[in-house]
């Protein structure tokens, strides 16, 4: 409890730890529910994965690093051997969803929009209220749940909890991919990958040629995002390795270059299964027959976007 009473710890961080504990309990509920579900073909492996993940999310702040590392390895075993499955989902029937939409109408978008509104509101009032944008997202989720319960009395806390479990079970181990990829960016930066990239690129880009640097920087952002699945993780490595020494150091506008470079990374997001939230999770949720169907439809858009971004960076530098 000393963490929560420590005056040196910001209110934002304390609130996030409370939210992580709540998420951890939700994930542990997913583990227990699957363990008790005799229709789950691999309920013990499924329980192990979700239970360990719940412990890591809820109590990770206070676990020794060695213990956390061991738990991560334990958690990955059932995932690697495809022993994490979904059991009985109790999904609503089509007639039930149509009836619910007829009763609620377009108000169904209010809960989703409230998440964004609270996130932006928290970001704009950080200096006043002390909450971060991430706090706002979490608060927005709770607000969305309240809206759903007000719209329909059938949306009890138990229903919301079971629906959350159903989504987690449907997505499976892919749900942890964004967290792993976010860590990967920090690991790459700490390991000096940016410096290695810089030493390789200096043999390709002519000295002082900013336009060539921009082109390599843009494509590097796209490719590294495809590898890491996250443009925010890729931009730290690419800016240290290419953007800084070969573009910004020669007088290019850092605001323009940084903003458009991140968008170049998003072009890579459209082309990679590593971007689980965008390209893999929809396939699982919609039970699509083509595993890479989403990506194939997005590649032409990504090619157009990267071309436009490079031209804008050259003209506006």
């Amino acid at each position: 409890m000393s963490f929560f009473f420590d005056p040196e710890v910001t209110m934002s961080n304390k609130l996030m730890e409370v939210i992580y504990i709540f998420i951890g309990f939700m994930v542990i509920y997913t583990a227990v529910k699957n363990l008790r579900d005799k229709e789950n073909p691999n309920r013990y492996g499924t329980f192990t994965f979700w239970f360990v993940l719940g412990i890591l999310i809820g109590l990770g702040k206070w676990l020794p690093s060695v213990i956390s590392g061991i738990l991560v390895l334990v958690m990955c075993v059932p995932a690697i051997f495809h022993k994490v499955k979904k059991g009985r989902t109790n999904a609503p029937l089509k007639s039930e969803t149509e009836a619910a939409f007829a009763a609620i109408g377009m108000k169904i978008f209010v809960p989703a929009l409230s998440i964004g509104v609270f996130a932006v509101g928290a970001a704009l009032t950080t200096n006043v209220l002390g909450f971060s944008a991430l706090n706002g997202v979490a608060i927005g989720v709770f607000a969305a749940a309240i809206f759903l319960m007000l719209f329909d009395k059938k949306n009890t806390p138990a229903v919301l909890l079971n629906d959350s479990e159903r989504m987690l079970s449907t997505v499976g181990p892919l749900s942890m991919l964004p967290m792993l990829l976010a860590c990967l960016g920090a690991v790459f930066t700490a390991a000096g990958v940016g410096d290695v990239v810089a030493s390789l690129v200096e043999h390709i880009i002519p000295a002082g040629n900013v336009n060539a640097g921009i082109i390599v920087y843009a494509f590097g952002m796209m490719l590294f995002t495809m590898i890491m699945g996250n443009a925010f993780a890729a931009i730290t490595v690419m800016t240290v390795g290419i953007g800084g020494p070969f573009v910004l150091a020669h007088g290019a506008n850092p605001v323009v270059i940084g903003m458009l470079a991140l968008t170049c990374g998003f072009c890579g997001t459209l082309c990679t299964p590593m971007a689980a939230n965008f390209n893999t999770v929809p396939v699982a949720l919609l039970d699509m027959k083509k595993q890479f169907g989403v990506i194939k439809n997005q590649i032409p858009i990504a090619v157009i976007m990267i071309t436009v971004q490079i031209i804008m960076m050259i003209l506006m530098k």
Side-chain angles (χ1 to χ4, degrees):
M1 294 298 293
S2 60
F3 172 83
F4 294 102
F5 290 101
D6 188 348
E8 299 297 325
V9 180
T10 64
M11 182 61 68
S12 172
N13 289 334
K14 292 177 182 177
L15 178 59
M16 283 312 305
E17 288 304 326
V18 173
I19 293 168
Y20 288 141
I21 293 173
F22 178 83
I23 295 173
F25 279 117
M26 182 179 294
V27 177
I28 291 174
Y29 172 78
T30 301
V32 174
K33 190 171 184 295
N34 277 280
L35 179 64
R36 299 175 62 184
D37 183 4
K38 295 183 179 180
E39 293 184 20
N40 190 317
N42 289 294
R43 53 179 178 154
Y44 296 109
T46 304
F47 168 80
T48 301
F49 174 82
W50 290 118
F51 183 80
V52 174
L53 180 59
I55 294 295
L56 287 169
I57 294 177
L59 303 177
K61 176 73 178 179
W62 298 278
L63 291 175
S65 56
V66 174
I67 300 299
S68 295
I70 294 173
L71 290 177
V72 169
L73 294 176
V74 172
M75 178 184 68
C76 289
V77 171
I80 291 173
F81 290 99
H82 304 286
K83 297 299 182 181
V84 183
K85 304 291 183 180
K86 66 176 180 179
R88 185 176 61 243
T89 57
N90 295 324
L93 301 173
K94 184 178 180 181
S95 57
E96 293 175 337
T97 59
E98 290 177 346
F101 178 74
I104 298 175
M106 298 305 291
K107 290 188 296 183
I108 191 64
F109 291 104
V110 172
L113 290 173
S114 67
I115 299 175
V117 170
F118 275 92
V120 173
L124 294 176
T125 58
T126 298
N127 294 332
V128 178
L129 300 178
F131 294 134
S132 66
L134 194 57
N135 294 150
V137 171
I139 295 172
V141 170
F142 284 100
I146 294 173
F147 281 124
L148 288 171
M149 289 188 287
L150 291 175
F151 292 160
D152 192 337
K153 294 182 179 179
K154 294 180 181 179
N155 291 327
T156 62
V159 169
L160 298 178
L161 182 62
N162 285 322
D163 279 352
S164 299
E165 178 276 325
R166 178 161 59 90
M167 188 191 72
L168 280 175
S169 295
T170 301
V171 177
L174 290 174
S175 59
M176 60 180 282
L177 190 57
M179 291 182 283
L180 293 179
L181 293 173
C183 296
L184 187 61
V187 171
F188 274 24
T189 302
V193 175
D195 296 330
V196 174
V197 172
S199 65
L200 295 174
V201 171
E202 67 181 1
H203 300 294
I204 301 174
I205 302 177
N209 191 326
V210 180
N211 290 342
I214 287 175
I215 294 173
V216 175
Y217 185 32
F219 279 110
M221 275 297 303
M222 184 176 181
L223 292 175
F224 245 71
T225 299
M226 291 176 65
I227 295 171
M228 305 175 75
N230 190 318
F232 293 101
I235 197 168
T236 57
V237 177
M238 287 294 99
T239 302
V240 170
I242 303 175
F246 300 104
V247 180
L248 301 178
H250 296 284
N253 188 329
V255 176
V256 172
I257 298 299
M259 178 178 62
L260 294 177
L262 193 59
T263 310
C264 291
F266 296 151
C267 295
T269 301
L270 298 175
C271 304
T272 176
M274 298 297 285
N277 287 357
F278 303 99
N279 303 330
T280 309
V281 171
V283 174
L285 292 178
L286 299 176
D287 198 20
M288 295 175 61
K289 295 180 179 179
K290 296 182 179 180
Q291 183 179 0
F292 300 107
V294 173
I295 294 175
K296 288 180 180 179
N297 286 296
Q298 292 176 163
I299 288 177
I301 305 299
V303 172
I304 295 172
M305 286 183 61
I306 190 69
T307 303
V308 172
Q309 302 307 315
I310 290 174
I311 293 174
M312 291 178 63
M313 290 171 79
I314 293 175
L315 294 178
M316 299 173 64
K317 68 179 186 293

